[in-house]
């Protein structure tokens, strides 16, 4: 717990570790986010408890002992990173815990309690074609609040810029607010980006193209007005609006770098429905940088 001499954080930053390099990289990123938010960092490892069948029990390594050993290794790894040295000077700023349970369920539980949940991403393989193919995608789809997915290639320090992926069909004020807040805390600029799928208008007539041009201009003007309103609330943040041509979200992904931070929206999905083909999920799976998913 945070002592009375320390400002109580607004919310925790919770990161899941599993002993992999991807998990350790996510932990380093989460340490930086905890500093930006003036929040407590909670490093969690979830482990499964073997269950005997009938009268048959198996003897093996104690899962609790193995989990605590992994947490100890994570702590040692954490203490070698730069952000940890700042956090270490604040009593109660960091906690390491081993929790019995399913990793996804444990992280979703923390998200429901208002924490920012950070998970690593190992890469994209055949699971990219299924609704719930990895812990990162599952947590990003199911957890309420904010989930940040951090691939191995992502920069662990403050981002170069914050990119807000805007869908004009969705109410994006919460996403824009989260993006401006991140940019303000990190002291970087913000780009509000939208990709329009021009392929839908292949073979269109001149009249159709003229209508499309007017629609594009109206969409840009509307987006600029919405972004400008948030810019007034965050005067220290420089911002731009970028309308990209091409299939979304591929057009946006092509413009990203490992030192960006993407903020995108989404609705918490159900286990039955999933959202394997949604724009946010594809950004989560393929972006070279950290992706913050802000749920409605």
């Amino acid at each position: 717990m945070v002592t009375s001499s320390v400002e109580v954080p607004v919310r925790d930053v919770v990161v899941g570790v599993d002993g992999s390099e991807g998990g350790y990289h996510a932990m380093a990123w989460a340490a930086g986010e905890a500093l930006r938010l003036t929040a407590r960092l909670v490093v969690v490892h979830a482990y499964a408890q073997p269950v005997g069948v009938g009268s048959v029990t198996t003897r093996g390594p104690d899962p609790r002992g193995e989990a605590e050993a992994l947490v100890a290794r994570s702590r040692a790894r954490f203490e070698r990173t730069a952000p940890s040295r700042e956090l270490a000077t604040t009593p109660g700023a960091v906690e390491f815990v081993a929790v019995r349970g399913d990793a996804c369920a444990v992280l979703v539980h923390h998200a429901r309690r208002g924490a920012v949940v950070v998970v690593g991403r190992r890469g994209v393989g055949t699971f990219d074609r299924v609704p719930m193919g990895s812990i990162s995608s599952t947590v990003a789809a199911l957890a309420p609040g904010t989930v940040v997915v951090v691939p191995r290639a992502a920069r662990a320090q403050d981002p170069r810029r914050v990119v807000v992926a805007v869908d004009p069909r969705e109410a994006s004020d919460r996403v824009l607010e989260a993006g401006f807040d991140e940019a303000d805390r990190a002291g970087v600029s913000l780009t509000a980006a939208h990709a329009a799928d021009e392929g839908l208008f292949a073979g269109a007539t001149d009249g159709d193209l003229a209508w499309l041009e007017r629609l594009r201009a109206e969409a840009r003007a509307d987006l600029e007005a919405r972004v400008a309103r948030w810019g007034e609330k965050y005067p220290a943040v420089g911002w731009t609006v970028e309308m990209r041509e091409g299939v979304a979200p591929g057009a946006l992904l092509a413009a990203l770098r490992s030192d960006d931070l993407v903020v995108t929206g989404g609705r918490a999905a159900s286990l039955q429905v999933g959202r394997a083909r949604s724009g946010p999920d594809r950004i989560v799976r393929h972006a070279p940088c950290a992706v913050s998913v802000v749920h409605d």
Side-chain angles (χ1 to χ4, degrees):
M1 297 296 293
V2 179
T3 65
S4 58
S5 62
V6 179
E7 182 182 354
V8 178
V10 176
R11 51 185 174 176
D12 291 341
V13 174
V14 177
V15 58
V17 294
D18 59 1
S20 68
E21 289 298 318
Y24 290 143
H25 187 67
M27 179 175 66
W29 193 96
E33 183 72 347
L35 285 171
R36 289 189 287 273
L37 292 173
T38 318
R40 183 179 65 155
L41 177 67
V42 181
V43 182
V44 176
H45 172 63
Y47 67 96
Q49 180 70 47
V51 178
V53 179
S55 61
V56 179
T57 58
T58 59
R59 294 185 178 274
D62 173 24
R64 177 74 187 184
E66 287 189 334
E68 291 177 345
L70 187 148
V71 168
R73 293 194 298 273
S74 299
R75 184 190 295 271
R77 182 68 171 261
F78 175 81
E79 291 172 352
R80 297 200 296 269
T81 64
S84 69
R85 288 191 285 272
E86 273 191 81
L87 288 173
T89 62
T90 304
V94 186
E95 181 181 0
F96 289 80
V97 294
V99 180
R100 187 175 68 182
D102 174 78
C104 292
V106 168
L107 293 173
V108 169
H109 170 72
H110 279 284
R112 286 176 178 154
R113 297 178 62 184
V116 174
V117 172
V118 180
V119 290
R121 193 193 79 200
R122 295 187 178 184
V124 177
T126 57
F127 280 131
D128 186 52
R129 296 189 294 271
V130 301
M132 301 295 172
S134 67
I135 290 177
S136 59
S137 290
T138 303
V139 174
L142 297 179
T146 301
V147 177
V148 184
V149 178
V150 183
R152 285 283 304 277
R155 177 179 173 179
Q157 291 77 31
D158 284 344
R160 171 181 67 107
R161 63 168 179 168
V162 172
V163 179
V164 180
V166 180
D167 185 344
R169 298 168 300 180
E170 302 286 346
S172 57
D173 274 354
R174 186 174 179 186
V175 178
L176 284 169
E177 180 182 16
F180 269 98
D181 191 59
E182 286 282 1
D184 187 55
R185 292 179 184 277
V188 299
S189 63
L190 177 144
T191 298
H194 169 63
D197 189 354
E198 304 299 324
L200 296 175
F201 294 89
T205 66
D206 289 343
D208 292 333
L209 293 176
W211 171 81
L212 175 61
E213 199 61 40
R214 290 194 301 271
L215 186 65
R216 185 188 294 116
E218 291 173 0
R220 183 182 185 92
D222 178 67
L223 180 55
E224 286 180 341
R226 287 154 63 188
V227 177
R229 287 195 293 270
W230 284 106
E232 292 175 357
K233 298 180 180 181
Y234 292 86
V237 177
W239 58 268
T240 57
V241 169
E242 189 174 292
M243 305 290 283
R244 299 185 62 84
E245 297 182 3
V247 179
L252 171 63
L253 290 168
L256 296 177
R257 291 183 4 187
S258 62
D259 52 358
D260 289 327
L261 168 63
V262 174
V263 179
T264 185
R267 292 189 176 91
S270 68
L271 279 171
Q272 290 77 24
V273 176
R275 58 172 195 176
R277 297 184 180 275
S278 72
D281 191 73
R282 290 180 179 177
I283 293 173
V284 163
R285 290 173 183 269
H286 296 282
C289 57
V291 180
S292 178
V293 182
V294 181
H295 289 114
D296 295 336

